[in-house]
Amino acid sequence: MTIAWNLFTPWGALIGGALIGLSAALLLLFNGRIAGIAGIAGGLLRPRAGDIGWRLAFVGGLVAAPLVYGLVAGLPAVQIDAGSGTLIAAGLLVGFGTRYGSGCTSGHGVCGLSRLSPRSMVATGAFMAAGFITVYFARHVFG
């Protein structure tokens, strides 16, 4: 295994992680809500009065942030090494998993672990194990 040192960006990752943690803490502090993307986006599909504005602002920020970054620094080239069928299947599996696991990696992994939630610890462990197994099979068994 080799490390692509030109792509290794620990300071950017540290700053990005700190900003994610800060934004999740501020959302919880000021709005009493967990920053789980699946729950936030899912709430837009079955809206309740007085609950739509902050959800739209959150999702709007997710969409706007890379666009603003692209204007300032330029976006990196994107290369996807999977076909459309694989991407559709992967998206459906992720959607099913977030419903089955009662949340996504952001809700459980960022917010749940920081609150020492036992359910989030199990869910995050399951997410990680599934990722390890998938990479192993994709690279060493099938690839």
Side-chain angles (χ1 to χ4, degrees), residues 34-78:
I34 300 295
I37 307 305
I40 292 170
L44 289 173
L45 298 177
R46 33 181 216 297
R48 289 184 279 171
D51 197 38
I52 296 174
W54 74 270
R55 292 176 190 273
L56 285 174
F58 193 96
V59 172
L62 290 176
V63 172
L67 298 176
V68 171
Y69 180 85
L71 293 173
V72 174
L75 295 174
V78 176

Short mmCIF file of all heavy atoms in Angstrom, two decimals, residues 34-78:
data_model
loop_
_atom_site.label_atom_id
_atom_site.label_comp_id
_atom_site.label_asym_id
_atom_site.label_seq_id
_atom_site.Cartn_x
_atom_site.Cartn_y
_atom_site.Cartn_z
N ILE A 34 -30.71 17.22 15.69
CA ILE A 34 -29.52 16.46 15.34
C ILE A 34 -29.21 16.68 13.86
O ILE A 34 -30.11 16.64 13.03
CB ILE A 34 -29.73 14.94 15.61
CG1 ILE A 34 -30.04 14.69 17.07
CG2 ILE A 34 -28.56 14.12 15.14
CD1 ILE A 34 -28.91 15.04 18.01
N ALA A 35 -27.94 16.89 13.54
CA ALA A 35 -27.53 17.16 12.15
C ALA A 35 -27.33 15.86 11.38
O ALA A 35 -26.26 15.58 10.86
CB ALA A 35 -26.26 18.00 12.13
N GLY A 36 -28.37 15.07 11.28
CA GLY A 36 -28.35 13.87 10.47
C GLY A 36 -28.99 14.17 9.13
O GLY A 36 -30.17 14.53 9.06
N ILE A 37 -28.25 14.03 8.06
CA ILE A 37 -28.72 14.45 6.74
C ILE A 37 -29.97 13.66 6.32
O ILE A 37 -30.91 14.24 5.78
CB ILE A 37 -27.61 14.27 5.68
CG1 ILE A 37 -26.32 14.96 6.12
CG2 ILE A 37 -28.07 14.77 4.33
CD1 ILE A 37 -26.44 16.41 6.47
N ALA A 38 -29.99 12.37 6.59
CA ALA A 38 -31.15 11.56 6.19
C ALA A 38 -32.42 12.04 6.89
O ALA A 38 -33.48 12.13 6.27
CB ALA A 38 -30.90 10.08 6.50
N GLY A 39 -32.32 12.35 8.16
CA GLY A 39 -33.48 12.83 8.89
C GLY A 39 -33.91 14.22 8.45
O GLY A 39 -35.11 14.51 8.36
N ILE A 40 -32.94 15.07 8.17
CA ILE A 40 -33.27 16.43 7.73
C ILE A 40 -33.93 16.40 6.36
O ILE A 40 -34.98 17.01 6.15
CB ILE A 40 -32.00 17.31 7.73
CG1 ILE A 40 -31.52 17.52 9.17
CG2 ILE A 40 -32.27 18.64 7.04
CD1 ILE A 40 -30.16 18.17 9.30
N ALA A 41 -33.34 15.69 5.43
CA ALA A 41 -33.92 15.60 4.09
C ALA A 41 -35.24 14.84 4.11
O ALA A 41 -36.20 15.21 3.42
CB ALA A 41 -32.94 14.92 3.12
N GLY A 42 -35.32 13.77 4.92
CA GLY A 42 -36.56 13.01 5.05
C GLY A 42 -37.70 13.86 5.58
O GLY A 42 -38.85 13.68 5.21
N GLY A 43 -37.39 14.81 6.46
CA GLY A 43 -38.41 15.70 6.99
C GLY A 43 -38.99 16.63 5.94
O GLY A 43 -40.10 17.14 6.10
N LEU A 44 -38.25 16.86 4.86
CA LEU A 44 -38.78 17.67 3.76
C LEU A 44 -39.80 16.89 2.93
O LEU A 44 -40.65 17.49 2.28
CB LEU A 44 -37.64 18.14 2.84
CG LEU A 44 -36.73 19.21 3.43
CD1 LEU A 44 -35.55 19.45 2.49
CD2 LEU A 44 -37.49 20.49 3.69
N LEU A 45 -39.72 15.57 2.96
CA LEU A 45 -40.65 14.75 2.19
C LEU A 45 -42.01 14.63 2.87
O LEU A 45 -43.02 14.38 2.22
CB LEU A 45 -40.06 13.36 1.95
CG LEU A 45 -38.76 13.35 1.14
CD1 LEU A 45 -38.21 11.93 1.04
CD2 LEU A 45 -38.96 13.96 -0.23
N ARG A 46 -42.03 14.78 4.19
CA ARG A 46 -43.29 14.78 4.95
C ARG A 46 -43.28 16.01 5.87
O ARG A 46 -43.06 15.90 7.07
CB ARG A 46 -43.50 13.49 5.72
CG ARG A 46 -42.27 12.85 6.22
CD ARG A 46 -42.50 11.55 6.98
NE ARG A 46 -41.57 11.41 8.07
CZ ARG A 46 -40.25 11.30 7.94
NH1 ARG A 46 -39.71 11.33 6.77
NH2 ARG A 46 -39.48 11.18 8.99
N PRO A 47 -43.49 17.17 5.26
CA PRO A 47 -43.32 18.43 5.99
C PRO A 47 -44.38 18.67 7.05
O PRO A 47 -45.52 18.23 6.93
CB PRO A 47 -43.41 19.48 4.89
CG PRO A 47 -44.15 18.85 3.78
CD PRO A 47 -43.88 17.38 3.87
N ARG A 48 -43.94 19.35 8.11
CA ARG A 48 -44.84 19.81 9.17
C ARG A 48 -44.72 21.33 9.25
O ARG A 48 -43.66 21.88 8.99
CB ARG A 48 -44.47 19.19 10.51
CG ARG A 48 -44.80 17.70 10.56
CD ARG A 48 -44.51 17.15 11.92
NE ARG A 48 -43.07 16.88 11.96
CZ ARG A 48 -42.41 16.54 13.04
NH1 ARG A 48 -43.02 16.47 14.19
NH2 ARG A 48 -41.12 16.31 12.99
N ALA A 49 -45.80 21.97 9.63
CA ALA A 49 -45.80 23.44 9.72
C ALA A 49 -44.71 23.91 10.67
O ALA A 49 -44.51 23.36 11.75
CB ALA A 49 -47.17 23.92 10.21
N GLY A 50 -43.99 24.94 10.26
CA GLY A 50 -42.94 25.52 11.09
C GLY A 50 -41.65 24.72 11.12
O GLY A 50 -40.73 25.07 11.85
N ASP A 51 -41.58 23.66 10.33
CA ASP A 51 -40.42 22.78 10.37
C ASP A 51 -39.66 22.75 9.05
O ASP A 51 -38.68 22.05 8.92
CB ASP A 51 -40.89 21.36 10.74
CG ASP A 51 -39.77 20.46 11.21
OD1 ASP A 51 -38.87 20.95 11.91
OD2 ASP A 51 -39.79 19.27 10.85
N ILE A 52 -40.13 23.52 8.09
CA ILE A 52 -39.56 23.43 6.75
C ILE A 52 -38.40 24.40 6.55
O ILE A 52 -37.40 24.05 5.92
CB ILE A 52 -40.65 23.69 5.69
CG1 ILE A 52 -41.70 22.59 5.77
CG2 ILE A 52 -40.07 23.74 4.29
CD1 ILE A 52 -42.89 22.81 4.89
N GLY A 53 -38.48 25.59 7.11
CA GLY A 53 -37.49 26.63 6.86
C GLY A 53 -36.07 26.23 7.20
O GLY A 53 -35.16 26.37 6.38
N TRP A 54 -35.86 25.71 8.40
CA TRP A 54 -34.50 25.36 8.80
C TRP A 54 -33.99 24.18 8.00
O TRP A 54 -32.80 24.10 7.69
CB TRP A 54 -34.41 25.08 10.32
CG TRP A 54 -34.99 23.78 10.75
CD1 TRP A 54 -36.27 23.53 11.14
CD2 TRP A 54 -34.30 22.54 10.85
NE1 TRP A 54 -36.43 22.22 11.46
CE2 TRP A 54 -35.23 21.57 11.30
CE3 TRP A 54 -33.00 22.13 10.61
CZ2 TRP A 54 -34.91 20.25 11.51
CZ3 TRP A 54 -32.67 20.80 10.81
CH2 TRP A 54 -33.61 19.88 11.26
N ARG A 55 -34.88 23.25 7.63
CA ARG A 55 -34.47 22.11 6.82
C ARG A 55 -34.03 22.57 5.42
O ARG A 55 -33.02 22.11 4.90
CB ARG A 55 -35.59 21.08 6.71
CG ARG A 55 -35.90 20.38 8.02
CD ARG A 55 -37.08 19.41 7.86
NE ARG A 55 -37.53 18.91 9.13
CZ ARG A 55 -37.04 17.82 9.74
NH1 ARG A 55 -36.07 17.14 9.18
NH2 ARG A 55 -37.52 17.43 10.90
N LEU A 56 -34.81 23.47 4.81
CA LEU A 56 -34.43 24.00 3.50
C LEU A 56 -33.12 24.78 3.57
O LEU A 56 -32.29 24.67 2.67
CB LEU A 56 -35.55 24.89 2.95
CG LEU A 56 -36.78 24.18 2.42
CD1 LEU A 56 -37.86 25.20 2.04
CD2 LEU A 56 -36.44 23.30 1.23
N ALA A 57 -32.93 25.54 4.64
CA ALA A 57 -31.69 26.29 4.81
C ALA A 57 -30.50 25.34 4.94
O ALA A 57 -29.44 25.57 4.35
CB ALA A 57 -31.77 27.19 6.04
N PHE A 58 -30.66 24.25 5.69
CA PHE A 58 -29.59 23.28 5.87
C PHE A 58 -29.23 22.61 4.55
O PHE A 58 -28.06 22.57 4.16
CB PHE A 58 -30.02 22.23 6.91
CG PHE A 58 -28.91 21.38 7.41
CD1 PHE A 58 -28.26 21.69 8.60
CD2 PHE A 58 -28.49 20.25 6.72
CE1 PHE A 58 -27.22 20.91 9.07
CE2 PHE A 58 -27.46 19.46 7.18
CZ PHE A 58 -26.82 19.79 8.37
N VAL A 59 -30.24 22.11 3.84
CA VAL A 59 -29.99 21.45 2.56
C VAL A 59 -29.47 22.46 1.53
O VAL A 59 -28.57 22.15 0.74
CB VAL A 59 -31.27 20.74 2.05
CG1 VAL A 59 -31.10 20.21 0.63
CG2 VAL A 59 -31.64 19.60 2.99
N GLY A 60 -29.98 23.68 1.56
CA GLY A 60 -29.48 24.73 0.68
C GLY A 60 -28.01 25.02 0.92
O GLY A 60 -27.24 25.23 -0.01
N GLY A 61 -27.60 25.00 2.18
CA GLY A 61 -26.19 25.19 2.51
C GLY A 61 -25.33 24.06 2.00
O GLY A 61 -24.20 24.28 1.54
N LEU A 62 -25.86 22.84 2.06
CA LEU A 62 -25.12 21.69 1.54
C LEU A 62 -24.90 21.80 0.03
O LEU A 62 -23.86 21.40 -0.48
CB LEU A 62 -25.87 20.38 1.85
CG LEU A 62 -25.91 19.94 3.29
CD1 LEU A 62 -26.77 18.68 3.43
CD2 LEU A 62 -24.52 19.68 3.83
N VAL A 63 -25.90 22.34 -0.65
CA VAL A 63 -25.79 22.50 -2.10
C VAL A 63 -24.92 23.71 -2.45
O VAL A 63 -24.09 23.66 -3.37
CB VAL A 63 -27.19 22.63 -2.74
CG1 VAL A 63 -27.11 23.00 -4.20
CG2 VAL A 63 -27.98 21.35 -2.54
N ALA A 64 -25.08 24.80 -1.72
CA ALA A 64 -24.38 26.04 -2.03
C ALA A 64 -22.89 26.00 -1.69
O ALA A 64 -22.08 26.62 -2.39
CB ALA A 64 -25.03 27.22 -1.31
N ALA A 65 -22.52 25.29 -0.64
CA ALA A 65 -21.12 25.31 -0.18
C ALA A 65 -20.13 24.87 -1.27
O ALA A 65 -19.14 25.58 -1.51
CB ALA A 65 -20.97 24.46 1.07
N PRO A 66 -20.33 23.75 -1.95
CA PRO A 66 -19.35 23.40 -2.99
C PRO A 66 -19.39 24.35 -4.18
O PRO A 66 -18.37 24.56 -4.84
CB PRO A 66 -19.73 21.97 -3.40
CG PRO A 66 -21.10 21.76 -2.89
CD PRO A 66 -21.30 22.68 -1.74
N LEU A 67 -20.56 24.94 -4.45
CA LEU A 67 -20.63 25.91 -5.54
C LEU A 67 -19.80 27.15 -5.22
O LEU A 67 -19.06 27.65 -6.08
CB LEU A 67 -22.09 26.29 -5.82
CG LEU A 67 -23.00 25.14 -6.26
CD1 LEU A 67 -24.44 25.63 -6.39
CD2 LEU A 67 -22.51 24.52 -7.55
N VAL A 68 -19.91 27.64 -3.99
CA VAL A 68 -19.12 28.80 -3.57
C VAL A 68 -17.64 28.43 -3.55
O VAL A 68 -16.79 29.20 -4.02
CB VAL A 68 -19.59 29.30 -2.19
CG1 VAL A 68 -18.65 30.36 -1.64
CG2 VAL A 68 -21.00 29.84 -2.29
N TYR A 69 -17.30 27.25 -3.04
CA TYR A 69 -15.90 26.81 -3.03
C TYR A 69 -15.36 26.75 -4.45
O TYR A 69 -14.22 27.15 -4.70
CB TYR A 69 -15.79 25.45 -2.35
CG TYR A 69 -14.37 24.94 -2.30
CD1 TYR A 69 -13.52 25.32 -1.29
CD2 TYR A 69 -13.88 24.08 -3.28
CE1 TYR A 69 -12.21 24.88 -1.23
CE2 TYR A 69 -12.58 23.62 -3.25
CZ TYR A 69 -11.74 24.02 -2.21
OH TYR A 69 -10.45 23.58 -2.17
N GLY A 70 -16.16 26.24 -5.37
CA GLY A 70 -15.73 26.15 -6.76
C GLY A 70 -15.44 27.50 -7.37
O GLY A 70 -14.54 27.65 -8.20
N LEU A 71 -16.17 28.54 -6.97
CA LEU A 71 -15.91 29.89 -7.46
C LEU A 71 -14.61 30.44 -6.91
O LEU A 71 -13.90 31.18 -7.59
CB LEU A 71 -17.06 30.82 -7.07
CG LEU A 71 -18.40 30.56 -7.74
CD1 LEU A 71 -19.48 31.45 -7.13
CD2 LEU A 71 -18.31 30.77 -9.24
N VAL A 72 -14.27 30.06 -5.68
CA VAL A 72 -13.08 30.60 -5.02
C VAL A 72 -11.83 29.81 -5.39
O VAL A 72 -10.81 30.38 -5.75
CB VAL A 72 -13.27 30.61 -3.48
CG1 VAL A 72 -12.01 31.02 -2.77
CG2 VAL A 72 -14.43 31.51 -3.11
N ALA A 73 -11.90 28.48 -5.29
CA ALA A 73 -10.69 27.68 -5.43
C ALA A 73 -10.71 26.73 -6.63
O ALA A 73 -9.71 26.12 -6.94
CB ALA A 73 -10.47 26.87 -4.15
N GLY A 74 -11.83 26.55 -7.27
CA GLY A 74 -11.91 25.58 -8.37
C GLY A 74 -12.15 24.18 -7.84
O GLY A 74 -11.55 23.77 -6.85
N LEU A 75 -13.05 23.48 -8.48
CA LEU A 75 -13.39 22.13 -8.04
C LEU A 75 -12.41 21.11 -8.63
O LEU A 75 -11.97 21.27 -9.76
CB LEU A 75 -14.82 21.78 -8.43
CG LEU A 75 -15.91 22.61 -7.76
CD1 LEU A 75 -17.27 22.27 -8.34
CD2 LEU A 75 -15.91 22.36 -6.26
N PRO A 76 -12.11 20.05 -7.88
CA PRO A 76 -11.23 19.01 -8.43
C PRO A 76 -11.95 18.21 -9.50
O PRO A 76 -13.18 18.18 -9.56
CB PRO A 76 -10.92 18.14 -7.20
CG PRO A 76 -12.07 18.36 -6.28
CD PRO A 76 -12.53 19.77 -6.51
N ALA A 77 -11.17 17.55 -10.34
CA ALA A 77 -11.75 16.68 -11.36
C ALA A 77 -12.39 15.47 -10.69
O ALA A 77 -11.87 14.93 -9.73
CB ALA A 77 -10.66 16.23 -12.33
N VAL A 78 -13.52 15.07 -11.19
CA VAL A 78 -14.25 13.94 -10.62
C VAL A 78 -14.12 12.75 -11.56
O VAL A 78 -14.32 12.88 -12.77
CB VAL A 78 -15.74 14.29 -10.42
CG1 VAL A 78 -16.51 13.09 -9.92
CG2 VAL A 78 -15.88 15.45 -9.46
#
